[in-house]
Every structure is written in C-alpha cells, then in structure tokens.
Amino acid sequence: MPVADLRTTVAGLTFRNPLWLASGIWGESGNSLKGAWEAGAGGVVTKSIGSDPRMGYPNPTIETYEKWGMLNAMGLPNPGIDEYPQEIAIARAAGAAVIGSIFGADADEFAHLASKMAATGVLALELNLSCPHAKGLGSEIGQDPDQVREVVSAVKRAVQIPVIAKITPNHYDVASLAQAAESAGADAISAINTVRALAIDVQLRRPVLANGLGGLSGPAIKPVGLACVWQIYDRVNIPIIGVGGIESADDVIEYVLAGARAVELGTAVAFRGIGIFSGLAKELSQRLDSLKVHRLEELVGAAHSPVTPE
Amino acid sequence: MPVADLRTTVAGLTFRNPLWLASGIWGESGNSLKGAWEAGAGGVVTKSIGSDPRMGYPNPTIETYEKWGMLNAMGLPNPGIDEYPQEIAIARAAGAAVIGSIFGADADEFAHLASKMAATGVLALELNLSCPHAKGLGSEIGQDPDQVREVVSAVKRAVQIPVIAKITPNHYDVASLAQAAESAGADAISAINTVRALAIDVQLRRPVLANGLGGLSGPAIKPVGLACVWQIYDRVNIPIIGVGGIESADDVIEYVLAGARAVELGTAVAFRGIGIFSGLAKELSQRLDSLKVHRLEELVGAAHSPVTPE
Amino acid sequence: MRVITEVSERVVETPSTVTLRFRYTPPAGPGQFVMIWIPGDDELPMSLSYTGEPKGVTIKAMGTTSRNALSMPAGTLVGIRGPYGNRFDLSPRRILVVGGGSGTAVLAPAAEAAVRGGSRVVAALGATTAPELLFVGRMKAISESVEVSTDDGSLGHHGFVTDLSQRLLAQQPFDAVWTCGPEIMMRKVISAAKERGVPVFCSMERQMKCAMGMCDACALGPYHVCTDGPVFPADRLMAIPEFGHTKRDSSGRRVPL
Amino acid sequence: MRVITEVSERVVETPSTVTLRFRYTPPAGPGQFVMIWIPGDDELPMSLSYTGEPKGVTIKAMGTTSRNALSMPAGTLVGIRGPYGNRFDLSPRRILVVGGGSGTAVLAPAAEAAVRGGSRVVAALGATTAPELLFVGRMKAISESVEVSTDDGSLGHHGFVTDLSQRLLAQQPFDAVWTCGPEIMMRKVISAAKERGVPVFCSMERQMKCAMGMCDACALGPYHVCTDGPVFPADRLMAIPEFGHTKRDSSGRRVPL
Ligand SMILES: Cc1cc2nc3c(=O)[nH]c(=O)nc-3n(C[C@H](O)[C@H](O)[C@H](O)COP(=O)(O)OP(=O)(O)OC[C@H]3O[C@@H](n4cnc5c(N)ncnc54)[C@H](O)[C@@H]3O)c2cc1C
Ligand SMILES: Cc1cc2nc3c(=O)[nH]c(=O)nc-3n(C[C@H](O)[C@H](O)[C@H](O)COP(=O)(O)OP(=O)(O)OC[C@H]3O[C@@H](n4cnc5c(N)ncnc54)[C@H](O)[C@@H]3O)c2cc1C
Ligand SMILES: Cc1cc2nc3c(=O)[nH]c(=O)nc-3n(C[C@H](O)[C@H](O)[C@H](O)COP(=O)(O)O)c2cc1C
Ligand SMILES: Cc1cc2nc3c(=O)[nH]c(=O)nc-3n(C[C@H](O)[C@H](O)[C@H](O)COP(=O)(O)O)c2cc1C
Ligand code: FES
Ligand code: FES
C-alpha cells in the first residue's frame, strides 16, 4: 500500500493530488470535466473560454508523432462564457475542483470574462496568455511583460479567487513574463503552453494543419517545460504549476524538483487514456515511497540546491 | 538509378547536395570535417570557434531521449581561432566545402573572428547567434534584433565572403531576428539552434547536465525548426538553411517546402551514424524521383502557395 | 501518422452518395471509422463501409466538404488516419439491421462480417426516396431477407424504416438490433426493441476533431464518441438526456439536432 | 538513458586504484567502456574491468574526479551509460597481453573471455612499483605465464614492461598482442611485434564527452575513439602522426601527451 502524501497546496487551495487536467483536454463539456475528476484528477482546468462562441479552425487540427509528440491548432473553439456556466455546474455538482481558463484580446476582456467565470463558482482562474496559434490572442499578449502585467492587474481587480497566469515557452526570457505576472498580483504561474511548431505534407506540399502553424505538446516538450519551470522558480516566489509532456511518476517528480507544486496533463490523456490519472497517482505514491519521501511537497524546487554525496 | 538533381545554390555558392554537417558535430578537428565531407556531406560547418581556447562545461554534457531527442550543454568548447587554421587546412586539402562558424560576446569580437576565419579560406561564415546555454554569448546576443543587426553589420564590413546568421528558436518572433540580420546585409539565415531545455535526475535530485540548462535537438525539434523556417521565409528574401531534427528524405523535403535551400544535420549523426549523409542523399534523390521532381530547388517554399486539387 | 493515399476507385451509390476506395493497410473492423482529409478542404470522420483492402468510405453529400467529395475523381490524393473507435460485437446469432439513409454505410460491412461468422441477418433499410436507398443489393447478397421503406413511397413500404423494424421485431426473435441513422429514428428502434427485450447497438455521430479522446468535440453525455463509440449499447444512450435532442456544434455549444 | 545505480562493492586494488562494482544490465563485451557519472563531480569514460554482473570499473587516481572516486564508499549512487565502443576480437588462439599500469583493467576481462573461448594467454604486466601492479593474481589464474616489471625494480624485471614483451615475442609465437598503457609504451610494443609480424591491438584513451561519435572531443586522426575504438589495430594507429605524440585537451587543442 503506497503511503506517500500527494496532497498539494497552491495559492491557499489544497488539492487531493497534484495531477490536474490541462486546459483544452476534456474540458469543453461539464460531463468531461466531471469524468476527469472521477478518473482521479486532482484538479480540472476548463477549456479556455472567450466572450463569444468560437468554432475554432477547420480540420485537420492535429498531427501526431508516434507517442512522443503532438501538434495541434484547434483555434480556441469554445461555447462562449454565457453558455459555459451550465457545464461548470455539472462538474461542480460532482465535487470537482474546477479551475476556469479564460482568454481574451485585452485587459478589459480578460477582466470581464474573469468576473463571469468567477461567478460560476470555480476555485481559481487560469489566464491563457500563451496559445501559440491564435491571432491577437494568447501569446501575442503573453509575450509582452507589460501586457501581462496589465491583464493580470485587471483580472485581480475584478475577482477575489486565486489567479494563475499561464506562460508561453516561445520567449527568450520566460521568467520575465512570470515576474510581470507576479508583480501584478498573480497567485501562481502555470508553464508551459505548447511550443510553436509546424508540419508539412511532402506529397501534398502543404501544411498539414488547416491553420498552418500549431503548437507542439507531449513528451517532446517535457525538457522545454522543465527549463521554463526551472528558470521561473529562480525568479518568482509564487507557486508554479508545471505543464508539458508529463506521463510518468518520474516526469511529475522532475517538474516538482524543478519547482512545481502541481502539474497538468494534456497529451498524455490522448496517448495513454483517462486512466492515466489514477494510474499515475498510484505510481507516484509508490515512487515516492521507494525514494523515502513522505510528502511530495518536500521535493518542491529541491534540485536547485542539490546535496552532493561526501 | 536516382536522377533528381540535388545541387543547391546558397548565397551564390553551389553545393553538391543540400545536406550539410551542422555546427558542433564532428567539427572540432580538421580530420573529422574531412571525414564528414568524404562521407557525402554537401557542406561542412565547423564547430563554433571563439577568440580563445575554451574547455566547455564539465561532463555530463549530454542526455538522450530514446531516438527522438537529445539534450546537450557542451559549453562551446573550441581550440580558439589561432589554433584552428590548421584544422581547416586539413579539411580544405580534402576538397571539403567548409563553412566557418564563430561566436563572440559583441560585434567587435565577431568582426575580429570573422576576419581571421575568412583568412583560412572557408567558403562562408556562420554566425552562432543562438547557443542557448552560454552566458553572455550566443542567444543572449541573438535574441535582440538590434544586437543582431550590429553584429552582422560589423562582420559584413570585415569580410567579403557570404555571411549566414544562425537564429535561435527561443524567441517570440524569430522572423524579426532574421529580418534584422537581412537588413544588416546577411547573405543567408540558418535556423534553428537547439531549444532551451533541462533534465533532472529524480534519484539524485539534481540537473543531469553539469551546466543545468541545455539545448534540445533531434526529431523532437523538427516541428519547431519547420515553424521557424516557415515564418522566416514569409519575411525575408535571402536564402534559408534549415536545421533541427532532420534524419529522413521527407524531413529534408519538409524543410525545403517550408522555405529552406539547404539543411544541416546534427543529432542524426549521433543517432544514425555518419553514413547518414550518403544514405540520405540517395534516399532523397529516389524520393524526388517518385514525386516527379527533377530539381530539389523547384520545391523551395512551395508549401506557402499550395495547389489545391480541383 | 496520416497516410496520403490515392482514391483508387469511385462508385456512385445513389444520387447523393459516393463510395471512395483506397489502399490503407492498418487493420480495421466493422463499426470503426477513419478521419479522411480532403486536402485544401476539411477532414471528416467517415465510417468504413469496406474494412478490408482496398478500404472504403461511403459519403453522403450534406455540407460543403461532403458535397465536394461527391465529385472527387479517382486518382485524387486524400489523407487517412485511423481506424478509430470501437467495433460491433459480432457474437449475436440473429441480427436485425436497421439502416436509415447513409447509416447503412457502416452496417453493411458489419452485417457481412457477422454472416461470415455464422450469424443470420435480416435487414430493414430506409431512405427518402427509392434512388437514395443504399447498399440494398449488398445487403440482399448476405441477408435472410431485406425490406425497404421510402418516405415518398417510391419503393417498398411507404413510411419510415422504424415501421419495418417494429413489424420484424414482432414477427421474429432477434439477439440484437444494429442501427445507424437519424437519432430520432434510432430512439424509435430502441423503444420497439426494448418491449421485446432485444438489445440495440447504435452507431453514433458527433462533431469530431482529434478522434483520439482528447479535444472533447465529440462529447456525448459522459462519453466521447471517438473513443467510447461510435457503437453504443442503447441503454447507455437512453440514459443521456441529449440523445435524440441536442448535439454540440464546433464551438462546443449545445444545439438542437 | 543513464541508469542511476549503487556501488555495490568497492575493492582497493593498489594504493592508487580501486574497483567499483555495480548492477548495470545492458550486455557488454571486453574492450567496451561506460561513462560513469559521479554526481556533483564529473562523468568519466572507464573501461569495464568486469563485463558480467555486477559490472565493474577499475579507477586509477589521476586528477580530481578519479581521486575522489578512490575514496567513494560502497552504497554511493553513480550514473552509468553505455556500454560504448568496440570489443577485442576474441578469435586469436595465442595472445600476448601487455598491460602498463591501470591499462591492465581493460585487458583482464578480455583475457578471461579469450581463455574461456579456448585461447591461451601469456601476460606481461608493468607498474611503477610493486604495490601498484594491477590484477596480477587475476591474470595468473588464467594465463600460461605472467611476468611482471617495475620501474623501481621492487618486483620482477627492473625496467619497462616493453622489455618483457620484446623478450616474450622473441621466445614464443603469438597470433596477436593486446596492449593498453601509455602510448609511448604501446608504440614500443607495436614495433617489437611488427618485426615478428604479429598484429597488435591497442586500447586507446582520449578526452570524451558524448561517447556517441558526435562531439568530436575524442578525435584521433580520422577516428573517434568512442565509436571507432577504443580498440584499434596497430597499423591504423601507426598511420596517425599524433599517435604517441599529441592528444587534444577539452577545448580540442592539440597538446603533447
Ligand atoms: C463516427 C462518424 C462516422 C461517420 N460516418 C459517415 C459516413 O459513413 N458517411 C457519411 O456520409 N457521413 C458520415 N459521418 C458524417 C460526416 O462526418 C459529416 O458530418 C458529414 O459528411 C457532413 O460534413 P460536411 O462538412 O460536408 O457538412 P457541414 O458543412 O459540416 O454540414 C452541412 C449540413 O449537414 C448537416 N450535417 C452535418 N453532419 C451531419 C450529420 N452527421 N448528420 C446529419 N446531418 C449532418 C449539418 O447540420 C449541416 O446542415 C460520420 C460522422 C461520424 C462522427
Ligand atoms: C575509453 C577510455 C577508457 C578508460 N578507462 C579507464 C580505466 O579503466 N581506468 C582508469 O583509471 N582510467 C580510464 N580512463 C581514463 C579516465 O577516463 C580519466 O581520463 C582519468 O581517470 C583522469 O580523470 P580525472 O578527471 O581524474 O583527471 P583530470 O583532472 O582530467 O586529469 C588529471 C591528470 O591526469 C592526467 N590524465 C588524465 N587522463 C589521463 C589518461 N587517460 N592517461 C594518462 N593521464 C591522464 C592528466 O594529464 C592530468 O595531469 C579511460 C579513458 C578512456 C577514454
Ligand atoms: C488539443 C489541445 C488543446 C489545447 N487547448 C488549450 C487551451 O484551450 N488553453 C490552454 O491554456 N492550453 C491549451 N492547450 C495546451 C495544454 O493545456 C498544455 O499546456 C500543453 O498541451 C502541454 O502539455 P502536454 O504536453 O501535457 O499536452 C491545448 C493542448 C492541446 C494538445
Ligand atoms: C553536441 C552538440 C553541439 C553543438 N554545438 C554547436 C555549436 O558549436 N555551434 C552552433 O551553432 N550550433 C551547435 N549545435 C546546434 C546544432 O548545430 C543544431 O543547430 C541543432 O543541434 C539542431 O539540429 P539537429 O536536431 O539536427 O541536431 C550543437 C548541437 C549539438 C547536439
Ligand atoms: S474528437 Fe476529440 S475527443 Fe472525440
Ligand atoms: S566523445 Fe564525442 S565524439 Fe567521441
């Protein structure tokens, strides 16, 4: 019987385990959020929701690379904030720890969405400042520390619940973005969103995704996400949620050692199935037991000051 | 007998095939440059050379992820520009098409190195503006369009041979860096260098690489390199050399369709052996034959204006 | 993982329906679907109407893409990924197949496989009008009997295919009903079969994007049609309020069927 | 691909040499080496002195890291990757083994494997002084004869191990000579063997970083010691001007040996 304590506290909220469902995966409908929660996720982040219904890009919206990478350009499809409360209600009725993700074009829109999302009763907000393939949204705002500061400030003024800023990896100095968010009052940072990427079909001589550019996720970006969390941990004091390529207990621990207090799983749900949440929670406890670690939280950031054997 | 013509012209120089040896692989010694040339490379880029001998970081300097990714932080070891001419002489004596790579801390140092490197008789220079893990060098300069412009201008004033600016992917707008290089007179762009990344050992609770942060290469970054070449092609008129994760004929063609006139191979040499050059040249000709393409150059950038079947 | 392949053969099945055959070697079973990319256009989920080589899909013109597909000549390159989803359970011995419109596309290969496995099949096929009846010959070749209905009475029973299935269920014992068609039709088939205690399996359609159980586009109650389906036992569907009433559009918004 | 493993056993072989044993399961052959990471310190190439389980390396204190390794207790965690490089060809029937200093570390498991395969081994082992002679007992257990030399005359022949190998080559016929030690020593072994027409195989050392034939740190003429070696036939080495004269330091600069 594994005994290690997987509970984790982020921005004053305690989660039963550190394995959250990442935004954009199973998060468009309330039943799926509920399903991920019942499958064992420690928290569930909604699909990023905007002001109006958005169809997203036409298909093809995804491409896969064996089991080590996935490329997507969904185009932020979402039913819009006014339709969405009914979905959150379903997830909340099941007891799920729901984090509401939102995206917008400027600070005002973010603030407006934040109020509406907070009103649905979500525990916290995640601001998508990092979608790599939506014009005028996502990382076009999130790459500029000043705009990050503005958006986060506006949202903080609008809501009482904790605010998580989700950071793009497509930047020379990701920690500067996290610092901007922190200085504006963000309660936590999540990193990373997908890495800008492209696939071309050689026979058809055209990009595979309807949108052309997309975002890379899955194991291929784990080392990239780790580097971002590592750099952010060195420069901010608020908690970090690690995202990118996580699918094993060791992946989770790597992120925690780099500085994360919780992690999000995206592509692993596609490659390994929703059973990954319960499987990974068990595997994680066992691994911690074998490493003689009683509480996952003991390891947060520990790789920054390694103990060298005599 | 494959018949497709693989010759490619970059900045007025014609190469027997588009498959160059990437900087940092087999490029520290003249015999290895010669070896890569004799193994069939269309051009060989030297290790990035600086003003003084540099030992690089202690080991571990590399980590691998199956056959889809590699992480390295060599730390730019190199014998220094004054020792290096004897190595180039060996490669040139064998008839190799040598491109000299250099790195420095500022425009003056780059210009100084450029003159010395040009004096060895290399065909062209590649400016390493993109090493992701060397403090004060590489991408710390290369992430700033103004500094890119300064460095390229200074180098162009110092030498007559073509100058290739090698661009970092760790940036929100890689094309702006390429534009800066072009505006300063660069003759070509190469993209990409490695993607900033990290690996942590869970049992030892410390980064694996002695330097901590490193750079990701190999198949995992092919989609990232393609996105960079794609974006650069849309915004500059000078030729592009594609780098990142190339190991098959289709990989080469993907880069060419995205806009590259030549490509460089790095990690594939470690994962597949130096035989990759002759193997790939043959595979590439065959693939072009099967696609009914007579000259590789016909495909440069073709995916930007796809022809949709009626 | 997408394979680009040539449409090797094109068969016009009805005025609004065409079958495209192509070489695509990964093994597939009846009930499964592929994502077919029409370059320059969209990528659509399509059930395999032929699960062996060359595989095939049978496309009914509904919107822009499927209409374009209708006029696509043999030799066109398309992208295929899959097969995705689950299969019909081939173990029932006496099967009633109830196909509405192009729904027969997925039922035909399943019925053929069942018959090869020793089962007996009776089929009821419906369409708006006689020329739109799909795969009648194909079903006749393997079924004990095939009955047809048309909304306009141009052939067979004048009315709905559900009338046929209700009668057949009353006349003969069946171990299972397989159905694919409009949800309102499938709901009727289900209630008739329920009276007799015969289990029903429905092949479902929803908006699809990833087809890998990730993007949530195909959410149907607690299920994802792409990975939990497309074949569902009727009792699961009847427990979902939206079945037969609403679906989600591309934005994830609930819209009437 | 690094495996973190515990040093399961530590054997002090000479005042400056220690053997570390550890569990590391990938199959390995004599001549091959591993990269051993001493966390917080460096990662060094080390020939396997034991190629079966538990595997082992035998480390001589040269610089900081190897000196630290000398005092490393059993139970310490180390990182291992490999095995890398080529193996000794075990087919020669009569083998002369010539080990200089810690060079015997790689020759001992090769000699053992050869003898298991039915070959006969004669060994000449040299060291600076008697207590530094490595694996004399281990070689005696399998060799027809073992002769030793010390620079200070404290045991065996007073002089160099090359004197011994020259004499043995004159006295007996051999199919091959295997040698590892300082390059100047190996050059002498080679020229003596060449006179008799006996092929020599040398285990070489160069600066190593990647161990995968990529970084060029281990360049030796046209070869990479990590992938083309570490075992080289003497004629290849003799064609390289730098053999016995220069190596490259960590920067890639040529420096005297
Ligand atoms: C698992 C699965 C298997 C499928 N198998 C087949 C198949 O074998 N043959 C086939 O022809 N189609 C099949 N479909 C439906 C197909 O994928 C498309 O939805 C349909 O072809 C319309 O695409 P479109 O882009 O041309 O139409 P759109 O432009 O998207 O829509 C045009 C019109 O068609 C209507 N429409 C769209 N989709 C449907 C639908 N599924 N049912 C009823 N009306 C619809 C819309 O309401 C709209 O009015 C399947 C769908 C799924 C999910
Ligand atoms: C394929 C291969 C197999 C090897 N196998 C073994 C082995 O089985 N046992 C073993 O003890 N070592 C072996 N070595 C050598 C070992 O990897 C190190 O080079 C050595 O331990 C010194 O490391 P260091 O960091 O402690 O010394 P450093 O601090 O790097 O150097 C300290 C001093 O030692 C000298 N020195 C360093 N390396 C060597 C060398 N290779 N030969 C002679 N002098 C040297 C230097 O000139 C310097 O003066 C092998 C090397 C290679 C390439
Ligand atoms: C299909 C798909 C859709 C996504 N949609 C969103 C989104 O709406 N909002 C967001 O913040 N991130 C979105 N992401 C990014 C993920 O939340 C996550 O940051 C990224 O995929 C890296 O994690 P992974 O490697 O575990 O997938 C999406 C990712 C995928 C694969
Ligand atoms: C071990 C190693 C050393 C490298 N050294 C250099 C270098 O000195 N200068 C440089 O511009 N790029 C260097 N690179 C980057 C490569 O040239 C190339 O841009 C990158 O590895 C991506 O290509 P790949 O995926 O084919 O390896 C190095 C890469 C590796 C793996
Ligand atoms: S299509 Fe994406 S979850 Fe089903
Ligand atoms: S150690 Fe890198 S090439 Fe040999």
Side-chain angles (χ1 to χ4, degrees):
Chain A
M1 263 283 292
V3 296
D5 185 354
L6 297 185
R7 274 172 306 176
T8 184
T9 301
V10 177
L13 302 167
T14 299
F15 296 84
R16 63 184 180 186
N17 71 47
L19 312 170
W20 299 4
L21 177 74
S23 180
I25 284 82
W26 277 52
E28 212 167 77
S29 73
N31 272 308
S32 294
L33 289 169
K34 175 182 174 209
W37 173 257
E38 286 171 353
V44 293
V45 185
T46 70
K47 176 77 195 167
S48 293
I49 304 297
S51 304
D52 299 304
R54 214 179 125 100
M55 296 296 183
Y57 302 131
N59 284 338
T61 43
I62 70 144
E63 170 72 321
T64 56
Y65 303 91
E66 292 156 32
K67 292 275 182 186
W68 56 256
M70 177 176 292
L71 181 66
N72 92 82
M74 308 307 297
L76 291 171
N78 78 94
I81 192 72
D82 295 327
E83 290 278 336
Y84 204 64
Q86 60 182 317
E87 308 296 342
I88 299 212
I90 295 171
R92 288 191 62 214
V98 184
I99 295 101
S101 172
I102 55 175
F103 73 92
D106 55 30
D108 281 352
E109 190 179 5
F110 265 102
H112 181 73
L113 285 163
S115 313
K116 288 197 174 177
M117 183 61 94
T120 66
V122 295
L123 292 179
L125 296 180
E126 186 177 80
L127 312 184
N128 182 353
L129 299 165
S130 43
C131 179
H133 50 66
K135 289 231 161 38
L137 304 166
S139 62
E140 288 193 21
I141 294 167
Q143 55 94 12
D144 176 4
D146 291 336
Q147 289 192 58
V148 168
R149 213 173 286 115
E150 265 181 51
V151 168
V152 174
S153 296
V155 168
K156 282 297 289 184
R157 279 194 301 271
V159 301
Q160 307 292 324
I161 55 176
V163 173
I164 305 166
K166 186 168 179 186
I167 299 293
T168 176
N170 300 301
H171 195 274
Y172 175 66
D173 186 6
V174 289
S176 70
L177 303 173
Q179 283 181 306
E182 181 179 43
S183 72
D187 301 280
I189 301 294
S190 57
I192 55 176
N193 211 309
T194 55
V195 179
R196 201 187 307 104
L198 178 77
I200 291 179
D201 188 88
V202 161
Q203 275 179 273
L204 303 172
R205 302 188 195 174
R206 61 163 67 239
V208 172
L209 302 186
N211 183 56
L213 294 172
L216 187 65
S217 63
I221 68 164
K222 188 190 73 172
V224 180
L226 282 167
C228 292
V229 168
W230 178 269
Q231 292 175 293
I232 293 168
Y233 185 83
D234 276 339
R235 306 236 305 261
V236 307
N237 293 310
I238 51 179
I240 304 166
I241 298 132
V243 200
I246 295 166
E247 56 178 34
S248 73
D250 275 15
D251 294 340
V252 176
I253 300 174
E254 263 193 273
Y255 268 100
V256 172
L257 289 167
R261 299 193 73 85
V263 298
E264 298 177 12
L265 274 69
T267 304
V269 173
F271 284 170
R272 312 284 164 189
I274 198 75
I276 186 134
F277 284 105
S278 61
L280 200 45
K282 197 170 152 210
E283 196 195 311
L284 185 56
S285 293
Q286 281 165 347
R287 184 63 166 145
L288 291 175
D289 287 353
S290 84
L291 293 170
K292 303 198 171 47
V293 173
H294 301 298
R295 292 174 47 245
L296 182 68
E297 292 198 329
E298 290 168 30
L299 297 182
V300 176
H304 289 257
S305 39
V307 183
T308 297
E310 292 305 291
Chain B
M1 261 281 296
V3 296
D5 185 354
L6 297 185
R7 275 173 305 177
T8 185
T9 300
V10 177
L13 302 167
T14 300
F15 296 84
R16 63 184 180 185
N17 73 46
L19 312 171
W20 299 4
L21 177 74
S23 181
I25 284 82
W26 276 53
E28 212 167 78
S29 73
N31 272 308
S32 294
L33 289 169
K34 176 183 174 208
W37 175 256
E38 287 171 351
V44 293
V45 185
T46 70
K47 175 77 194 167
S48 293
I49 303 297
S51 304
D52 299 304
R54 214 179 124 101
M55 296 297 183
Y57 302 132
N59 283 338
T61 43
I62 70 145
E63 171 71 322
T64 57
Y65 303 91
E66 293 154 34
K67 292 275 182 186
W68 56 255
M70 177 177 291
L71 182 66
N72 91 81
M74 308 306 298
L76 291 170
N78 79 95
I81 193 71
D82 295 328
E83 291 278 335
Y84 204 65
Q86 59 181 318
E87 308 296 342
I88 300 214
I90 296 171
R92 289 191 64 215
V98 183
I99 294 101
S101 171
I102 54 175
F103 72 93
D106 55 31
D108 281 352
E109 190 179 7
F110 265 101
H112 180 73
L113 285 163
S115 313
K116 289 198 175 178
M117 184 61 94
T120 66
V122 294
L123 292 180
L125 295 181
E126 186 177 81
L127 312 184
N128 181 352
L129 298 165
S130 42
C131 179
H133 50 67
K135 287 230 163 36
L137 303 167
S139 61
E140 289 195 19
I141 296 168
Q143 56 93 12
D144 176 3
D146 291 335
Q147 289 191 59
V148 168
R149 213 173 286 115
E150 264 181 52
V151 168
V152 174
S153 296
V155 168
K156 282 298 289 182
R157 280 193 300 271
V159 301
Q160 307 291 322
I161 55 176
V163 172
I164 305 166
K166 186 168 179 185
I167 299 292
T168 177
N170 300 301
H171 195 274
Y172 174 65
D173 186 5
V174 289
S176 70
L177 303 173
Q179 282 180 306
E182 180 179 43
S183 72
D187 302 279
I189 300 294
S190 57
I192 55 177
N193 211 309
T194 55
V195 179
R196 200 186 309 104
L198 178 77
I200 291 179
D201 188 88
V202 160
Q203 275 179 273
L204 303 171
R205 303 188 195 177
R206 61 163 67 239
V208 172
L209 302 186
N211 183 56
L213 293 172
L216 187 65
S217 63
I221 68 164
K222 187 190 73 169
V224 180
L226 282 168
C228 291
V229 168
W230 178 269
Q231 293 175 293
I232 293 168
Y233 185 83
D234 276 339
R235 306 237 305 261
V236 306
N237 294 309
I238 51 178
I240 304 167
I241 298 133
V243 200
I246 295 166
E247 56 178 35
S248 73
D250 275 16
D251 294 339
V252 175
I253 301 174
E254 263 192 273
Y255 268 99
V256 172
L257 289 167
R261 299 193 74 84
V263 299
E264 298 178 11
L265 274 71
T267 305
V269 173
F271 285 170
R272 312 285 163 187
I274 198 74
I276 187 136
F277 285 105
S278 61
L280 199 46
K282 199 171 151 209
E283 196 195 311
L284 184 56
S285 293
Q286 282 166 346
R287 184 64 165 145
L288 291 175
D289 287 353
S290 83
L291 294 171
K292 303 198 174 43
V293 173
H294 302 298
R295 291 173 47 244
L296 182 68
E297 292 198 328
E298 291 168 30
L299 297 182
V300 175
H304 290 256
S305 40
V307 183
T308 297
E310 291 305 290
Chain C
M1 40 100 238
R2 251 177 213 85
V3 170
I4 305 298
T5 185
E6 229 177 61
V7 172
S8 57
E9 199 191 333
R10 176 179 175 275
V11 182
V12 178
E13 307 285 2
T14 82
S16 71
T17 318
V18 69
T19 293
L20 305 178
R21 306 289 297 262
F22 46 81
R23 205 180 128 76
Y24 181 72
T25 52
Q32 291 193 291
F33 68 99
V34 294
M35 295 296 289
I36 175 167
W37 178 26
I38 320 246
D41 208 326
D42 208 335
E43 185 196 44
L44 295 174
M46 285 288 157
S47 297
L48 287 168
S49 56
Y50 294 91
T51 57
E53 281 316 299
K55 294 194 171 58
V57 296
T58 299
I59 305 180
K60 181 167 175 75
M62 306 290 306
T64 331
T65 312
S66 51
R67 239 189 332 260
N68 289 346
L70 210 67
S71 54
M72 204 163 65
T76 308
L77 292 175
V78 295
I80 305 287
R81 59 186 176 101
Y84 296 114
N86 62 2
R87 304 169 178 213
F88 281 100
D89 168 10
L90 300 177
S91 63
R93 310 314 297 161
R94 293 162 305 181
I95 302 163
L96 174 62
V97 165
V98 186
S102 60
T104 310
V106 67
L107 298 172
E112 286 169 349
V115 168
R116 270 198 305 277
S119 294
R120 288 150 53 181
V121 165
V122 168
L125 308 179
T128 49
T129 182
E132 284 298 341
L133 280 163
L134 183 65
F135 288 151
V136 176
R138 195 173 163 193
M139 288 304 295
K140 279 196 172 149
I142 54 144
S143 304
E144 283 193 356
S145 68
V146 176
E147 302 199 23
V148 304
S149 71
T150 51
D151 301 0
D152 65 0
S154 50
L155 194 72
H157 170 69
H158 186 164
F160 295 124
V161 70
T162 45
D163 304 334
L164 299 180
S165 64
Q166 194 152 12
R167 179 157 47 74
L168 288 163
L169 280 161
Q171 289 169 346
Q172 305 179 33
F174 290 104
D175 300 316
V177 179
W178 292 351
T179 183
C180 182
E183 287 177 33
I184 182 75
M185 172 205 115
M186 294 199 283
R187 282 195 82 108
K188 282 194 193 152
V189 171
I190 291 167
S191 54
K194 195 170 180 183
E195 283 171 28
R196 318 268 158 193
V198 184
V200 179
F201 297 87
C202 304
S203 175
M204 295 292 296
E205 292 184 7
R206 280 295 181 273
Q207 179 70 41
M208 281 193 186
K209 297 185 177 181
C210 73
M212 301 180 75
M214 172 176 60
C215 72
D216 219 20
C218 68
L220 171 66
Y223 306 112
H224 288 118
V225 174
C226 66
T227 46
D228 299 314
V231 180
F232 289 92
D235 49 354
R236 289 204 180 167
L237 295 174
M238 295 305 280
I240 304 169
E242 61 211 77
F243 174 56
H245 300 291
T246 61
K247 59 177 185 178
R248 289 169 189 273
D249 69 9
S250 242
S251 78
R253 202 168 26 159
R254 297 161 191 257
V255 292
L257 264 181
Chain D
M1 41 102 236
R2 252 176 212 86
V3 171
I4 305 299
T5 184
E6 229 177 60
V7 171
S8 57
E9 199 190 332
R10 175 179 175 275
V11 182
V12 177
E13 306 286 1
T14 82
S16 71
T17 318
V18 69
T19 293
L20 306 178
R21 306 290 295 265
F22 47 80
R23 204 179 129 75
Y24 181 71
T25 52
Q32 291 193 290
F33 69 98
V34 294
M35 295 296 289
I36 174 166
W37 178 26
I38 320 243
D41 208 325
D42 208 334
E43 185 196 45
L44 295 174
M46 285 288 157
S47 297
L48 288 168
S49 56
Y50 294 91
T51 56
E53 282 315 299
K55 292 192 172 57
V57 295
T58 300
I59 304 179
K60 181 166 174 79
M62 304 291 305
T64 332
T65 312
S66 51
R67 241 193 326 264
N68 289 346
L70 210 67
S71 54
M72 204 163 66
T76 308
L77 292 176
V78 295
I80 305 288
R81 60 186 176 101
Y84 295 113
N86 62 3
R87 304 169 177 213
F88 280 100
D89 168 10
L90 300 177
S91 63
R93 309 317 297 163
R94 293 161 304 180
I95 302 162
L96 174 61
V97 164
V98 186
S102 59
T104 310
V106 67
L107 298 171
E112 286 168 350
V115 168
R116 271 198 306 277
S119 294
R120 288 150 53 180
V121 165
V122 168
L125 308 179
T128 49
T129 182
E132 285 298 341
L133 281 162
L134 182 64
F135 289 151
V136 176
R138 195 171 163 195
M139 288 305 293
K140 279 197 171 147
I142 54 143
S143 304
E144 284 193 355
S145 68
V146 176
E147 301 199 24
V148 303
S149 71
T150 51
D151 301 359
D152 66 359
S154 51
L155 193 72
H157 171 68
H158 185 165
F160 293 125
V161 70
T162 46
D163 304 333
L164 299 179
S165 63
Q166 194 152 14
R167 181 158 45 74
L168 288 161
L169 280 161
Q171 289 168 348
Q172 304 179 34
F174 290 102
D175 301 318
V177 179
W178 291 351
T179 183
C180 184
E183 287 178 34
I184 183 74
M185 172 206 116
M186 294 199 282
R187 281 195 83 108
K188 282 192 193 157
V189 171
I190 292 167
S191 54
K194 198 173 176 178
E195 281 172 30
R196 318 267 158 196
V198 182
V200 179
F201 297 86
C202 304
S203 176
M204 295 292 296
E205 293 185 6
R206 280 296 180 273
Q207 180 70 40
M208 280 190 186
K209 295 183 178 182
C210 73
M212 302 180 73
M214 172 176 60
C215 72
D216 220 19
C218 67
L220 171 66
Y223 306 112
H224 289 118
V225 174
C226 66
T227 46
D228 299 314
V231 180
F232 289 92
D235 49 354
R236 289 204 179 168
L237 295 173
M238 294 304 280
I240 304 169
E242 60 211 79
F243 174 55
H245 300 292
T246 61
K247 59 178 185 178
R248 289 169 189 273
D249 69 11
S250 242
S251 77
R253 200 167 29 160
R254 296 161 191 259
V255 293
L257 264 181

